């Protein structure tokens, strides 16, 4: 069966790159990792040794030149995604790219066009779609069990801010963090977002202000089907990663609470105590990272469309840019204001 394995090269062996490597090596039998690339040489060698991967390159182009690499995972900093996508597509590699595709909508569009032109697949890393809890809510809503969806609520708060250098390169809270929530909103409601109204501020750490960013936001969404949504974000929840969702409709409501490492409840004189939520994304979404990569491998093997396309990456980026504009200008922003002039046609997903 060895020859049927999809052979991966991974570009970037940082926080998320290591997760994908671990899943491909240990949990996806019909895939293998044959090469890694990172500019951080010592870390590259350490990761290669840990996962017994023979080939390492500090120049990713040399990895892309390997004919035995069928597919790449792009897990480098966001500002490198576009160039890596274009070059990988030109060499006929199948592409799994971390979110966001790029910070510029024109480049997201151009990347999608290039992927289509070269006839390769590209899946975008909106992993939360593969979380078993959110997947269940999606099914419930799609099956009409809450009736006509009327209000979506998403609470999405990180346990603490990322390092300053990460913040500066991230594209800001909406393109870096809330982009997952925007994708979740489209996915759960089965409708596109028409308008965004955002209030944002710096309440957690002045480092965000220095970087021209915000750390706290409340976003009101109006969907094309007339439903409303609200997303609230913070870069710091002192009790841990807070990831809750609610879809309310004419026939009922579906909710997802936080996941905890265990479900004990201690009752004593002081009160009722239980475990804090799983600390951050690596723990909370471990299952979803595995499932999304398995879905990508399956799509390539079966020559089927990928479940999260470049078009999904484009749409989430449009909403993120609308949210940022709304925060800056303190007014509701129609999504069409942002996407006008940039076509999102993506011939091959
Ligand atoms: N889906 C998710 O839940 C999720 C979570 C975290 C990060 N991300 C995304 O993944 C990407 C990486 O984020 P991270 O947190 O892992 O960052 P990171 O800084 O931990 O890792 C990035 C790695 O890329 C390497 N790199 C830099 N230049 C390179 C080059 N030219 N060639 C090869 N490697 C290079 C860095 O040395 C580093 O090891 C970002 O786009 C981020 O938005 C997604």
């Amino acid at each position: 069966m060895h020859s049927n394995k999809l052979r991966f090269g991974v570009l970037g062996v940082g926080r998320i790159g290591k997760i994908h490597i671990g899943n491909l090596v240990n949990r996806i039998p019909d895939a293998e990792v044959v090469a890694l690339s990172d500019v951080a040489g010592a870390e590259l060698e350490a990761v290669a040794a840990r996962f017994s991967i023979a080939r390492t390159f500090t120049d990713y182009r040399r990895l892309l030149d390997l004919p035995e690499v069928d597919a790449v995972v792009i897990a480098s900093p966001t500002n490198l995604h576009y160039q890596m996508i274009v070059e990988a597509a030109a060499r006929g590699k199948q592409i799994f790219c971390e979110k966001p595709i790029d910070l510029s909508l024109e480049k997201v569009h151009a990347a999608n066009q290039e992927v289509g032109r070269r006839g390769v697949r590209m899946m975008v890393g909106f992993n939360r779609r593969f979380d078993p809890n959110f997947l269940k809510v999606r099914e419930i809503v799609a099956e009409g069990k809450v009736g006509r969806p009327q209000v979506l609520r998403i609470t999405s708060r990180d346990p603490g801010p990322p390092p300053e250098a990460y913040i500066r390169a991230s594209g800001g809270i909406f393109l870096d963090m809330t982009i997952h929530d925007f994708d979740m909103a489209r996915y759960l409601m089965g409708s596109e977002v028409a308008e965004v109204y955002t209030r944002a501020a710096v309440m957690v750490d002045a480092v965000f202000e220095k970087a021209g960013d915000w750390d706290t936001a409340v976003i009101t969404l109006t969907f094309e089907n007339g439903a409303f949504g609200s997303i609230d974000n913070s870069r710091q929840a002192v009790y841990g990663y807070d990831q809750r969702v609610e879809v309310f409709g004419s026939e009922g409501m579906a909710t997802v609470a936080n996941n905890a490492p265990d479900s004990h409840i201690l009752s004593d004189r002081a009160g009722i105590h239980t475990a804090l939520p799983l600390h951050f994304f690596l723990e909370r979404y471990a299952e979803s990272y595995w499932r999304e990569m398995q879905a990508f491998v399956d799509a390539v093997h079966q020559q089927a469309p990928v479940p999260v396309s470049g078009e999904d990456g484009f749409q989430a980026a449009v909403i993120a840019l609308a949210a940022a504009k709304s925060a800056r200008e303190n007014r509701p922003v129609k999504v069409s204001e942002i996407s006008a002039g940039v076509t999102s046609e993506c011939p091959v997903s």
Side-chain angles (χ1 to χ4, degrees), residues 57-179:
F57 302 94
T58 49
D59 177 356
Y60 71 88
R61 293 187 175 96
R62 293 192 50 212
L63 182 153
L64 293 180
D65 283 338
L66 295 177
E68 65 266 34
V69 169
D70 305 311
V72 293
V73 172
I74 299 178
S76 55
T78 299
N79 63 329
L80 297 175
H81 292 182
Y82 171 77
Q83 192 58 32
M84 289 175 167
I85 291 168
V86 169
E87 291 180 32
R91 290 166 179 78
K93 311 297 185 195
Q94 309 295 332
I95 301 168
F96 179 97
C97 183
E98 265 308 335
K99 47 55 62 175
I101 296 176
D102 193 82
L103 303 180
S104 129
L105 211 51
E106 287 71 21
K107 279 164 100 178
V108 174
H109 177 59
N112 287 346
Q113 292 289 108
E114 197 55 18
V115 162
R117 200 166 71 81
R118 300 287 187 176
V120 296
R121 285 174 176 70
M122 180 167 79
M123 177 160 157
V124 180
F126 287 133
N127 57 290
R128 292 184 195 176
R129 291 184 181 214
F130 299 86
D131 173 76
N133 306 291
F134 298 141
L135 195 60
K136 188 72 194 167
V137 173
R138 167 73 193 131
E139 274 170 25
I140 287 170
V141 174
E143 286 164 7
K145 290 182 177 161
V146 300
R148 191 165 57 79
Q150 294 165 340
V151 181
L152 164 76
R153 281 193 357 185
I154 297 178
T155 291
S156 181
R157 303 174 186 146
D158 286 354
E164 183 169 353
Y166 182 94
I167 296 168
R168 288 189 180 280
S170 71
I173 188 169
F174 302 115
L175 274 161
D176 180 55
M177 176 178 169
T178 327
I179 197 159

